Amino acid sequence: MRRIAIIGTGPTGIYSLNSLIHAEEKLEITMFEQSALAGIGTPYSPDINSDYMLANIGSIEIPPLVETYENWLLTRSDAELKNFSLERCEINERGFYPRVLLGNYFRDQLLLLQAIAKQNGHIFKILEHCFVVDVELKRSSIIVHNKSYSFSYSRAEFDHVIMATGHSYAKLQKESHRLLSSPWPYKKLDKIRNKKIGILGTSLSAIDAFVGIVSNHGTFEYNINHILEFRPRSDITKLEIVLMSRKGILPEADFYCPLPYLPLEIFTAEIVENLIKHCDVAALLDETFALFKRQLQFSDPEYAERISLKNLTLENFKEAYFHPRLQSEPFAWAQKNLDEAATNYENKITVGWRYAILRMHELFGEIVPYLNDNQLERFNTFLKPVFVDDYASVPHESIKRLLAAHAACILSIRKVTDDYVINTSDGGESIDIECGLFHEKFDYIINATGNNPLSAADFPFQRIVDQAEVSKDVISNQATDKSNAFHKFELSLDDVFRLIVGPDYSKEFYCLSIPHILDKYPFMQGLEGSHKLASIAVGSILDSSHTGTTVGTVVDQHVPPSIEV
């Protein structure tokens, strides 16, 4: 039997396991999990998230395992649903539910997959409370060094290793008394009572921070007109929350569209692949953007006319995209957008331009690993914010909560520039933020700008880093013209996410840790990204003839925090 290790039992690890256990070949599979309960994953852990924090994905979008998320929810007891303020009649395939509940789903699916693995003749075990301290590449095998919860050390040998670790909030920068580096774990927000809080960001992470704070100060309840209101406790008199971002706008409400995605007519995978193969590196981004414009014109001619699409360049498309919202009061726009999205859901109306951009973002991301430094900067500056804004729409309930808090006069939005400065003052009793004419003092500031890509310096397995560095010259000699843009990166991955190393080391280490590949695969996020990564890697493991081509990288520099919409 071939021996396969999966480091991490969150969604990426579970989707990897799901693909492996359906193989005809009998395998020996070991999963390593450092926490007490395998299968939950950091984004859905009750230790990290409160019951009020919503997952930003509906059942219909979650790649199914043994059962769909919707069917699993319908089999929950009335008592369990009540704990999450859910009614059975409200459950549907497009609903958004608490993150913690989604973690329970993945835990249950892992246990079902464990039984299936054994039924299919595989040898399978899960090692909980087991921390992988290092991984060492040998010529024809890989050694996993690990410690148990009791600190007993052991090592195990494998033919293939899948690194499926996710985000680790323990690796965030150190926090000061007044400046919190993230909203997680949510329990650290419990100390904030009746204070003025600044939140950097206005996207889903910022909404998590907002929800974590207000849930300690009152409740959201619907009035007789079915409008959500925030009702503070009687002792809450000084609560004030300020969201801050570069654009000073809110994310848009989740919009109705056919799922799974309908095929694109012009911006197809075949044409994008052809552009990657035949375009000069310097022209690849502009040629792909031209194709993007053609598809957008075809999908929604009225919108194309409204924003003068034919006259827009890659550099000014973002400005035209955001212009209507930037000219409007943010909460008024949020209410208008919410009403439109709710009506479209009720009548199953799809907004053409929104759906076209949504369907194009992942395909457009396919070119990113092939861009040189200058083109990558153009993409990140002018196009990536558009794609992120479109696919990062949030549950309607989240927008309603923001509107309710604003109506209760406890929530506002400020626009800040990139050159903002944060200082402590009053002997550490307050903290202020300053940029241009904007200068405001807070009791606390929370950085809720989301997770940045991790660098090679953050790679958790030092022996692999050392071994990859030894093979750096080999990698350079193997590089194609288009991958020469990656010379500054320390750790390179091939097209099936295997680490590229020299001839003296096993090539069967797969890096599926999303934070480590975001720099070159910016849209490889969420559960769909986890499923795709797992499918590619397991497909390579089961197809021993795959040789791999260098396309991806693990970056060697830190990306500074930024304030996203």
Side-chain angles (χ1 to χ4, degrees):
M1 284 187 171
R2 284 195 287 169
R3 300 154 298 176
I4 302 170
I6 302 175
I7 304 173
T9 66
T12 306
I14 293 174
Y15 283 119
S16 299
L17 174 66
N18 186 51
S19 296
L20 287 168
I21 65 174
H22 290 97
E24 292 185 10
E25 178 187 356
K26 307 309 177 189
L27 305 167
E28 182 178 337
I29 307 166
T30 303
M31 298 187 82
F32 294 87
E33 173 56 50
Q34 64 182 6
S35 68
L37 284 178
I40 295 177
T42 300
Y44 314 110
S45 169
D47 296 328
I48 300 293
N49 305 278
S50 77
D51 292 348
Y52 299 99
M53 294 177 176
L54 297 176
N56 197 29
I57 187 169
S59 175
I60 193 173
E61 299 176 83
I62 299 173
L65 290 158
V66 181
E67 56 191 328
T68 66
Y69 187 36
E70 180 189 13
N71 289 341
W72 179 85
L73 285 170
L74 290 171
T75 63
R76 300 304 93 196
S77 68
D78 291 339
E80 185 175 355
L81 293 177
K82 186 177 181 180
N83 286 338
F84 291 95
S85 302
L86 288 179
E87 297 288 342
R88 194 174 303 278
C89 62
E90 297 173 341
I91 295 172
N92 62 80
E93 64 180 8
R94 291 179 182 260
F96 295 93
Y97 307 104
R99 292 187 185 186
V100 174
L101 198 55
L102 186 52
N104 293 345
Y105 163 75
F106 279 112
R107 166 73 177 177
D108 279 2
Q109 298 305 292
L110 176 59
L111 297 179
L112 292 172
L113 291 174
Q114 182 178 29
I116 294 172
K118 294 179 178 179
Q119 289 173 5
N120 290 350
H122 304 291
I123 297 176
F124 175 66
K125 59 184 174 181
I126 303 174
L127 302 180
E128 295 176 325
H129 263 157
C130 188
F131 184 76
V132 175
V133 294
D134 213 344
V135 177
E136 180 182 2
L137 303 179
K138 298 294 186 180
R139 180 178 290 274
S140 58
S141 66
I142 304 174
I143 307 298
V144 174
H145 301 261
N146 59 91
K147 289 183 179 180
S148 69
Y149 188 68
S150 61
F151 300 105
S152 61
Y153 167 83
S154 65
R155 46 180 281 170
E157 190 171 11
F158 298 93
D159 300 296
H160 313 269
V161 172
I162 295 174
M163 177 181 170
T165 56
H167 294 286
S168 174
Y169 301 110
K171 293 182 180 178
L172 294 168
Q173 68 256 37
K174 289 185 177 180
E175 299 182 342
S176 70
H177 175 58
R178 299 290 177 181
L179 176 62
L180 307 183
S181 61
S182 82
W184 308 288
Y186 80 97
K187 291 177 182 178
K188 69 184 177 184
L189 304 179
D190 289 349
K191 64 184 177 182
I192 300 176
R193 292 287 196 280
N194 255 344
K195 301 293 184 180
K196 182 175 181 179
I197 305 104
I199 299 176
L200 298 174
T202 57
S203 61
L204 192 62
S205 297
I207 294 174
D208 281 344
F210 156 76
V211 170
I213 293 168
V214 297
S215 61
N216 292 323
H217 292 80
T219 59
F220 289 102
E221 297 178 21
Y222 283 92
N223 62 23
I224 58 174
N225 296 317
H226 304 291
I227 296 174
L228 190 66
E229 295 179 342
F230 178 70
R231 298 175 182 174
R233 297 199 314 264
S234 58
D235 60 329
I236 302 304
T237 58
K238 299 179 181 179
L239 177 63
E240 183 180 352
I241 303 174
V242 181
L243 302 176
M244 296 173 282
S245 75
R246 286 195 298 255
K247 297 183 180 68
I249 59 178
L250 293 170
E252 304 236 277
D254 176 63
F255 53 90
Y256 177 83
C257 62
L259 297 171
Y261 294 160
L262 297 177
L264 290 160
E265 300 83 359
I266 297 170
F267 200 92
T268 65
E270 292 76 16
I271 296 181
V272 171
E273 183 179 351
N274 191 51
L275 289 174
I276 291 172
K277 286 182 178 179
H278 300 292
C279 272
D280 181 82
V281 171
L284 178 58
L285 180 59
D286 288 296
E287 291 290 344
T288 310
F289 179 67
L291 190 68
F292 169 90
K293 287 176 61 176
R294 288 176 56 199
Q295 179 66 62
L296 199 55
Q297 171 72 45
F298 179 87
S299 297
D300 199 330
E302 183 180 342
Y303 176 75
E305 180 68 23
R306 188 161 70 245
I307 66 171
S308 300
L309 178 63
K310 65 180 180 180
N311 299 321
L312 296 179
T313 65
L314 187 145
E315 278 71 18
N316 59 26
F317 178 79
K318 180 179 74 170
E319 181 181 350
Y321 174 89
F322 284 109
H323 180 75
R325 288 155 71 185
L326 292 172
Q327 299 304 305
S328 303
E329 195 282 324
F331 289 99
W333 181 273
Q335 182 66 68
K336 175 184 175 183
N337 171 251
L338 176 64
D339 293 341
E340 177 191 357
T343 298
N344 289 346
Y345 253 98
E346 184 177 353
N347 297 292
K348 297 184 178 180
I349 296 173
T350 301
V351 178
W353 62 270
R354 293 186 193 275
Y355 191 38
I357 294 174
L358 179 65
R359 287 179 290 166
M360 282 191 280
H361 84 271
E362 289 186 10
L363 263 181
F364 208 116
E366 296 290 332
I367 75 167
V368 174
Y370 302 95
L371 300 178
N372 59 31
D373 290 347
N374 178 59
Q375 302 304 324
L376 180 60
E377 182 177 0
R378 291 177 70 211
F379 172 80
N380 287 334
T381 302
F382 300 112
L383 275 184
K384 183 180 174 182
V386 171
F387 287 126
V388 171
D389 179 76
D390 189 73
Y391 75 67
S393 57
V394 300
H396 293 193
E397 189 74 9
S398 295
I399 299 295
K400 291 177 182 179
R401 289 172 176 176
L402 294 170
L403 292 170
H406 178 65
C409 300
I410 63 170
L411 180 67
S412 59
I413 294 179
R414 301 281 192 279
K415 182 178 180 179
V416 297
T417 54
D418 288 332
D419 59 351
Y420 70 89
V421 178
I422 297 176
N423 297 303
T424 55
S425 57
D426 298 336
E429 292 304 312
S430 65
I431 185 168
D432 65 332
I433 184 167
E434 183 176 2
C435 62
L437 299 177
F438 174 70
H439 185 193
E440 196 154 349
K441 185 178 293 186
F442 299 94
D443 296 302
Y444 295 91
I445 291 179
I446 303 170
N447 188 336
T449 55
N451 296 295
N452 289 311
L454 294 180
S455 71
D458 297 307
F459 203 76
F461 308 128
Q462 187 57 47
R463 297 190 198 206
I464 280 189
V465 172
D466 294 340
Q467 291 169 328
E469 288 178 343
V470 169
S471 65
K472 188 179 296 184
D473 291 339
V474 176
I475 297 169
S476 177
N477 293 335
Q478 291 176 347
T480 64
D481 290 341
K482 288 179 179 177
S483 64
N484 278 334
F486 308 152
H487 64 86
K488 70 177 182 179
F489 296 103
E490 234 176 355
L491 306 175
S492 293
L493 307 176
D494 65 17
D495 58 347
V496 292
F497 302 98
R498 291 182 303 188
L499 189 67
I500 299 290
V501 292
D504 294 331
Y505 300 112
S506 167
K507 296 176 173 57
E508 291 303 310
F509 181 89
Y510 294 79
C511 179
L512 307 191
S513 176
I514 289 178
H516 283 287
I517 64 176
L518 276 179
D519 187 73
K520 287 298 179 182
Y521 294 90
F523 304 132
M524 191 70 77
Q525 300 193 58
L527 298 178
E528 291 150 308
S530 294
H531 180 257
K532 183 175 182 179
L533 283 170
S535 298
I536 293 171
V538 172
S540 172
I541 290 173
L542 299 179
D543 178 14
S544 58
S545 65
H546 193 286
T547 56
T549 303
T550 302
V551 295
T553 58
V554 176
V555 299
D556 67 350
Q557 77 274 352
H558 288 279
V559 181
S562 59
I563 302 179
E564 296 291 349
V565 55

